[in-house]
Amino acid sequence: HEYERKHFQMTYGELSGVSTEALQAMLPSTWKWMQDARSLFDSEQLTPQSSLEQKMDFVKGRGFVDGILFTKSQLSLPEMFALDVESINRIRNEARCCVIAS
């Protein structure tokens, strides 16, 4: 994890103590993905008062699966997955094949 953190910081800059506006400018694809995932909250009945654990489970579940693996729109992969591009593309292709075959 340390290598990934250092690589991320070298590529995108130090993120601790940065304003929301600066983060939005530094990580535009991640920001858009999180906003898109946030729009799905209503269907899961999540609220701003939901626990952090509930929100993280949602992002890891529906946010990743629906927002990245099975998205129907053009995807600009969030910067936080920069080291995982090949693996994510492989998973997306495999998932498409499975869906087509079923």
Side-chain angles (χ1 to χ4, degrees):
H1 298 291
E2 186 65 23
Y3 168 78
E4 293 164 342
R5 187 183 63 74
K6 284 182 180 179
H7 182 270
F8 191 87
Q9 284 181 338
M10 287 175 46
T11 304
Y12 300 105
E14 179 62 45
L15 302 179
S16 61
V18 176
S19 71
T20 301
E21 293 80 17
L23 281 174
Q24 184 177 358
M26 293 167 72
L27 307 170
S29 296
T30 299
W31 183 263
K32 182 179 179 333
W33 173 60
M34 291 304 297
Q35 294 304 311
D36 292 346
R38 197 171 171 202
S39 70
L40 300 172
F41 275 15
D42 290 338
S43 64
E44 296 293 318
Q45 298 175 346
L46 290 171
T47 67
Q49 292 75 32
S50 296
S51 72
L52 179 60
E53 185 176 330
Q54 289 172 310
K55 292 175 185 176
M56 291 303 295
D57 286 345
F58 177 83
V59 169
K60 291 187 280 185
R62 294 256 336 253
F64 185 77
V65 173
D66 293 344
I68 292 180
L69 296 182
F70 290 107
T71 186
K72 292 180 174 112
S73 61
Q74 179 66 27
L75 175 67
S76 179
L77 197 62
E79 294 85 359
M80 59 190 251
F81 296 119
L83 295 176
D84 302 313
V85 172
E86 285 183 40
S87 296
I88 289 172
N89 284 335
R90 227 178 7 259
I91 293 168
R92 290 182 81 203
N93 289 332
E94 185 71 25
R96 280 190 203 112
C97 290
C98 290
V99 168
I100 292 170
S102 65

